[in-house]
Amino acid sequence: MTSRRDFIKISAIGAGVLVVGTGAYKVVKALSSPEQVKKLVVGLKRTPTYCEVCFWKCAGWVYKTSEGKIWKIVGNENDQHCNGRFCPRGTGGVGMYYDEDRLKTPLIRVEERGKQVFREASWDEALEVIAVKMKNIASKSGPESMALFSHGSGSSYFTTLMKSYGSANIAEPSYAQCRGPRDEAFMATFGEEAYSPEITDIRDTRCLVLIGSHIGENMHNGQVQEMSDAIDKGATIITVDPRFSTAAGKSKFWLPIKPATDMALLLAWIHEIIFKDYYDKKYVEKYCSGFEQLKAHVKDFTPEWAYGITTIKPDLIMKTAKEMADASPAVIVHPGRHVTWYGDDTQRIRAVAILNALLGSWGRRGGFYRPAKFELSSYGSPSFKTPSKTWEDAFPGKYTIASSPVSNVLIDASIPENNPGLLIRGWIVNGTNLITTIPDQANTLKAIQNLELLVAVDTMPMEITGWADVVLPECTYLERYDGLRVSPHRKPAIALRMPAAEPLNNTKPGYWIARELSKKLALENYFPFEKQEELLDWQLKKAGSSLEEMQRIGVKTFERDADDLYFSENEQVEFPTDSGKIELYSSYFEGAGYDPLPKYVAHEEPAEGFYRLIYGRAPMHTFSRTSNNPNLTDLMDENTVWINPVVAKEWGIKSDQYIWLRNQDNVISDFPVKVRVTERIRWDSVYIVHGFGHAQKQMKRCFGKGVSDTQLITNVLVDPLMGGTGMRSNFVTFVIEKTGEEVAS
Ligand SMILES: Nc1nc2c(c(=O)[nH]1)N[C@H]1C(S)=C(S)[C@@H](COP(=O)(O)OP(=O)(O)OC[C@H]3O[C@@H](n4cnc5c(=O)[nH]c(N)nc54)[C@H](O)[C@@H]3O)O[C@H]1N2
Ligand SMILES: Nc1nc2c(c(=O)[nH]1)N[C@H]1C(S)=C(S)[C@@H](COP(=O)(O)OP(=O)(O)OC[C@H]3O[C@@H](n4cnc5c(=O)[nH]c(N)nc54)[C@H](O)[C@@H]3O)O[C@H]1N2
Ligand code: SF4
Ligand SMILES: [Mo]
């Protein structure tokens, strides 16, 4: 049996970074024991924070040396997100503060956009330039022709600014490039989303099915810890992945599926579970609607049928279906997170939701729990004006079930020749590196070239800042207050982030930036608190705490109002769907003109000599945001391309050799990438970690290291229901020598 010790480890309190996989990763630093670390920090000053290296938002403590320098970040033991342990990235977060390539002062563009010629400016001047342009845009074209792209803690301030200015075009890449299809599919089925952190009750599950979710490389903290616990307690892990992921290495069943065919497997599982009478009859009768329609729909989707599509043998499909049924209701078919794969993503995740419903796992121990969230008091600022148009008017009739603005729609709406019903003329981009985040870079750049204003608020000189008219340097999360973290979990909780140090150079917190800009736009009545700490203290006092208390404890966890983490035995549950039931057959989708039941649609296959480009995460990096972090580049400073030995042999390619990748549209990667020849990937695909291949010279450590998946994602399969950008529809071939360039050694 696999043991907890074998699995990817989250570093214990303040310990060095330790990453152990199934031979895939080496122990990269010696561990000091938690006791040693505890001794080391005795008497040192600490301040609370929650991590911004990814969006799991673990709460921790920032320790300073006796000289008062930021030294270490460790997990807060009372935090449900991390249980006192940070992941390697969170531990390495200190590197964001010390990175010498950070943005240092506001910059104003002096030459053509994109040429990257800037001059330094004062905050006052930079904000004045922005305010003048924004006023111009508002009077000429209406405030609704501005858009905000944002990710991370600062989103709320810039959202307030944007709404008070008169625009509701506020998009986060965590919707249309990430979990949007999943949340829409779960909403349609259960009337509720899967939340962040996900409400998966992994610690008590008896069977966890991972469809692409590569937990262990996807290092979302509490989830990795709970999966380790579940493995220790004997849970079965079933991993469906064309790649032998770290999770696959810990699985009883690895299903090396032919990529892009998951829908067929899901339908066959549904078929098996219904026709073998494996489903939870009492639960389905009591809570679900549309069972008979579903049953008729999947009648022919047998394991044999799916075998022809997925390459997964029928007996393996049957065995794994039985395994899930045996564990029911303590079974989780994981909803996934980054699910924008092939354009039929909402429907694929609908199939996932249906499976969970049949297995009775929603609302049950070891399945999905009911989240609880602390509700903060709001301070009653003036109400926002209603914009005369929103992003939904850009291309009417498209993506009608999208419940959040779609980033790619706002980008398309910035290109006049697309004839949008609303033309976007200016962007504020905060905390998202759109150039590496949105597929089809040429389209993004085309949109940018049409803008009258592009403001980038960032901590690093990332690609997006190179295209901006004005660059505003935010200080890192270690140097600022931010909004209280109130993410849902098993118990309601609040976590505080406060500065551990003064902002370096001429950088400022997001709250300050948004408020100063609001003053220049005469909108400061939407920011009634001059300092964010005054607002936090006000909110905390309303919550029965205070800023002073939270500075001491960092995290405050409350009891749930009722003992209702799971459905009780005879509970009558009214689900927030149209019918009040779990909708196996979605009347909502049907009403909106979409398939009420998920269907399998074949996807394009690679041409001869091409391989499907698939991508994912590495445990020690987050997207592109960590690629220049000195602590994390120490652990991994480039990505590699995984190639199956059969393919490598055909091409005469060897491990450690550098090659370029060329995609179906003839785009060649800017930089070469190191080869990793491995049995752990199917022959029809190649795999790289997202976030590398930076083309920004100002980031000295990561410039030119590895390849960018985004650069090669030129074919985008947009989800017709909600606008998500399917990105796994690209194929690459190998370029062994690039004319005019040396292969790096
Ligand atoms: N090709 C491809 N595209 C993808 C993905 C993929 O795997 N492959 N993944 C998708 C997913 S799942 C997601 S969630 C998105 C993520 O998309 P993003 O959040 O855009 O990801 P990053 O590339 O990390 O960009 C974050 C930006 O925020 C800046 N930043 C970091 N900290 C701060 C801060 O405190 N304040 C400010 N103002 N800026 C800060 C960083 O320097 C960086 O420029 O990308 C999506 N796009
Ligand atoms: N270390 C680290 N952890 C992170 C992040 C990070 O940047 N770094 N980002 C966080 C965020 S915002 C997100 S959204 C999540 C994303 O992480 P997840 O939601 O877990 O992963 P995905 O990107 O959906 O899937 C990646 C896996 O899908 C497999 N795959 C590729 N094609 C197919 C296919 O057709 N079928 C199947 N079944 N599998 C396929 C790949 O081989 C890879 O193992 O990670 C989160 N955790
Ligand atoms: S999972 Fe890691 S990077 Fe993400 S918030 Fe937690 S410690 Fe930070
Ligand atoms: Mo994501």
Side-chain angles (χ1 to χ4, degrees):
M1 201 181 84
T2 44
S3 82
R4 182 187 176 96
R5 278 194 305 135
D6 295 332
F7 193 53
I8 286 269
K9 286 186 181 147
I10 300 273
S11 53
I13 170 171
V17 177
L18 174 73
V19 186
V20 194
T22 47
Y25 302 102
K26 292 184 214 103
V27 175
V28 284
K29 245 184 202 174
L31 245 192
S32 32
S33 75
E35 286 66 35
Q36 281 173 314
V37 174
K38 272 187 183 153
K39 272 189 207 148
L40 281 175
V41 298
V42 167
L44 292 182
K45 194 169 174 313
R46 68 179 192 181
T47 47
T49 191
Y50 59 87
C51 183
E52 184 83 7
V53 186
C54 88
F55 300 107
W56 200 256
K57 300 187 186 162
C58 301
W61 294 107
V62 184
Y63 280 94
K64 294 205 237 179
T65 61
S66 43
E67 292 86 51
K69 289 184 77 177
I70 291 183
W71 176 56
K72 243 180 201 317
I73 313 177
V74 306
N76 185 320
E77 276 167 336
N78 298 318
D79 183 35
Q80 301 171 98
H81 294 230
C82 77
N83 309 306
R85 295 149 176 227
F86 262 26
C87 87
R89 300 166 298 150
T91 310
V94 181
M96 278 168 110
Y97 171 75
Y98 284 111
D99 195 327
E100 65 286 2
D101 294 337
R102 275 174 65 169
L103 291 170
K104 298 184 176 69
T105 196
L107 301 170
I108 295 177
R109 177 169 68 80
V110 286
E111 275 199 32
E112 209 174 301
R113 188 176 280 143
K115 276 210 169 151
Q116 304 223 24
V117 189
F118 295 96
R119 68 178 169 81
E120 296 190 351
S122 67
W123 277 97
D124 189 60
E125 187 192 2
L127 294 172
E128 187 63 33
V129 168
I130 299 168
V132 167
K133 283 245 170 127
M134 282 177 75
K135 282 184 201 159
N136 252 332
I137 290 178
S139 61
K140 216 175 61 192
S141 328
E144 62 280 1
S145 52
M146 277 292 295
L148 168 65
F149 298 88
S150 192
H151 205 188
S153 309
S155 293
S156 61
Y157 327 130
F158 290 97
T159 294
T160 304
L161 179 79
M162 212 52 172
K163 287 189 174 166
S164 61
Y165 169 78
S167 171
N169 304 317
I170 300 162
E172 305 225 345
S174 47
Y175 184 72
Q177 281 65 51
C178 178
R179 57 198 179 89
R182 163 191 103 174
D183 289 336
E184 300 300 355
F186 270 59
M187 288 287 289
T189 314
F190 300 108
E192 220 175 326
E193 54 166 306
Y195 296 98
S196 173
E198 282 82 16
I199 51 174
T200 43
D201 202 19
I202 299 179
R203 69 176 185 200
D204 283 326
T205 200
R206 291 174 54 217
C207 179
L208 175 63
V209 185
L210 300 174
I211 301 168
S213 307
H214 54 332
I215 300 179
E217 288 154 289
N218 157 358
M219 209 57 182
H220 273 169
N221 195 336
Q223 191 164 232
V224 183
Q225 295 186 33
E226 292 200 15
M227 182 165 151
S228 299
D229 288 343
I231 291 172
D232 275 359
K233 288 192 278 180
T236 296
I237 314 290
I238 299 170
T239 296
V240 183
D241 199 311
R243 186 180 65 95
F244 189 75
S245 60
T246 299
K250 298 297 144 199
S251 299
K252 184 165 167 192
F253 300 96
W254 172 43
L255 280 55
I257 195 163
K258 178 171 166 184
T261 67
D262 296 74
M263 183 73 104
L265 173 68
L266 288 161
L267 290 170
W269 269 339
I270 295 174
H271 171 99
E272 229 3 54
I273 283 166
I274 292 181
F275 286 92
K276 291 254 172 82
D277 266 348
Y278 288 160
Y279 63 99
D280 186 334
K281 287 195 197 62
K282 251 175 80 184
Y283 184 96
V284 170
E285 260 164 42
K286 193 162 158 195
Y287 295 135
C288 302
S289 65
F291 178 76
E292 290 307 325
Q293 285 139 306
L294 174 68
K295 187 172 177 181
H297 176 71
V298 297
K299 190 166 79 47
D300 299 328
F301 301 141
T302 59
E304 288 73 20
W305 165 81
Y307 173 46
I309 297 169
T310 61
T311 74
I312 305 299
K313 295 224 163 81
D315 74 309
L316 194 50
I317 299 178
M318 290 185 224
K319 249 195 227 155
T320 43
K322 172 91 173 39
E323 196 85 21
M324 289 180 223
D326 287 347
S328 156
V331 50
I332 300 165
V333 185
H334 199 288
R337 187 162 174 123
H338 171 69
V339 292
T340 48
W341 297 358
Y342 301 104
D344 55 354
D345 306 301
T346 307
Q347 293 289 8
R348 187 184 69 250
I349 307 300
R350 266 273 297 152
V352 169
I354 289 170
L355 258 182
N356 281 301
L358 292 173
L359 293 162
S361 68
W362 186 259
R364 310 288 280 281
R365 183 185 292 278
F368 293 78
Y369 62 78
R370 279 171 164 163
K373 183 176 179 204
F374 193 90
E375 295 297 338
L376 291 170
S377 304
S378 59
Y379 49 85
S381 59
S383 53
F384 299 117
K385 306 163 202 121
T386 308
S388 62
K389 281 188 177 178
T390 72
W391 67 278
E392 289 176 89
D393 298 302
F395 304 103
K398 274 194 163 181
Y399 320 132
T400 51
I401 67 144
S403 58
S404 293
V406 177
S407 43
N408 30 302
V409 164
L410 289 174
I411 292 174
D412 292 344
S414 308
I415 301 174
E417 65 209 56
N418 290 342
N419 286 322
L422 167 65
L423 179 65
I424 301 293
R425 296 167 194 268
W427 297 358
I428 296 181
V429 182
N430 169 62
T432 171
N433 189 12
L434 293 184
I435 312 291
T436 63
T437 296
I438 311 288
D440 192 355
Q441 288 181 331
N443 191 58
T444 309
L445 295 179
K446 193 168 166 192
I448 287 177
Q449 292 298 16
N450 281 305
L451 296 175
E452 291 169 28
L453 173 66
L454 171 50
V455 179
V457 188
D458 209 299
T459 52
M460 292 293 297
M462 290 274 173
E463 281 77 359
I464 187 65
T465 64
W467 292 94
D469 302 321
V470 184
V471 180
L472 302 178
E474 190 175 16
C475 58
T476 68
Y477 69 105
L478 297 170
E479 303 155 283
R480 64 184 198 230
Y481 284 102
D482 262 310
L484 296 163
R485 186 205 75 188
V486 287
S487 318
H489 214 285
R490 290 187 176 93
K491 290 180 177 180
I494 306 178
L496 174 72
R497 172 185 290 163
M498 66 176 287
E502 283 297 307
L504 284 181
N505 308 305
N506 194 14
T507 62
K508 296 284 184 188
Y511 183 87
W512 182 92
I513 300 171
R515 190 169 188 277
E516 289 302 306
L517 187 52
S518 79
K519 284 199 220 160
K520 293 204 178 279
L521 293 165
L523 296 168
E524 71 267 34
N525 50 344
Y526 289 89
F527 291 86
F529 295 88
E530 188 193 338
K531 294 208 161 127
Q532 191 169 20
E533 48 269 48
E534 292 164 13
L535 163 61
L536 297 177
D537 193 43
W538 182 88
Q539 283 177 314
L540 286 166
K541 289 204 168 117
K542 290 267 178 197
S545 177
S546 66
L547 188 57
E548 186 277 326
E549 183 192 38
M550 289 301 290
Q551 288 175 338
R552 267 188 292 113
I553 61 175
V555 174
K556 195 168 172 115
T557 310
F558 302 83
E559 288 310 315
R560 296 173 71 97
D561 289 341
D563 182 15
D564 60 354
L565 191 58
Y566 312 112
F567 299 167
S568 56
E569 193 51 41
N570 289 311
E571 189 172 336
Q572 288 303 325
V573 184
E574 171 87 17
F575 295 87
T577 54
D578 289 351
S579 59
K581 298 266 185 190
I582 297 174
E583 295 204 354
L584 301 176
Y585 180 97
S586 174
S587 52
Y588 172 51
F589 280 8
E590 186 174 46
Y594 305 114
D595 288 333
L597 289 163
K599 285 187 185 146
Y600 169 73
V601 182
H603 292 294
E604 194 188 342
E605 309 247 344
E608 179 76 32
F610 279 79
Y611 308 89
R612 190 180 297 273
L613 177 69
I614 60 177
Y615 54 80
R617 312 280 176 242
M620 56 294 266
H621 281 283
T622 304
F623 319 120
S624 74
R625 72 182 52 214
T626 55
S627 358
N628 204 60
N629 178 316
N631 297 1
L632 300 176
T633 46
D634 256 10
L635 307 177
M636 176 181 179
D637 69 349
E638 63 185 327
N639 56 4
T640 56
V641 56
W642 296 33
I643 303 178
N644 183 279
V646 175
V647 176
K649 196 168 166 213
E650 233 172 73
W651 282 81
I653 293 174
K654 301 220 157 29
S655 270
D656 295 339
Q657 175 182 352
Y658 281 80
I659 60 169
W660 286 264
L661 303 179
R662 176 162 66 82
N663 80 355
Q664 73 284 340
D665 294 326
N666 248 327
V667 174
I668 301 186
S669 61
D670 280 344
F671 307 106
V673 61
K674 198 180 194 172
V675 171
R676 171 173 175 191
V677 177
T678 171
E679 298 278 0
R680 294 173 53 153
I681 180 95
R682 281 175 62 106
W683 68 269
D684 51 8
S685 307
V686 297
Y687 174 79
I688 56 177
V689 167
H690 169 63
F692 287 86
H694 280 280
Q696 274 306 93
K697 291 205 168 104
Q698 295 91 322
M699 295 194 291
K700 295 184 204 69
R701 258 180 305 275
C702 69
F703 170 77
K705 293 283 179 69
V707 296
S708 157
D709 55 342
T710 317
Q711 192 190 6
L712 300 165
I713 301 177
T714 49
N715 183 34
V716 185
L717 299 178
V718 181
D719 191 318
L721 282 76
M722 50 62 69
T725 52
M727 311 197 212
R728 297 209 173 129
S729 47
N730 292 265
F731 308 104
V732 293
T733 189
F734 311 123
V735 178
I736 311 292
E737 286 196 30
K738 197 173 168 186
T739 353
E741 287 211 49
E742 288 285 291
V743 174
S745 57

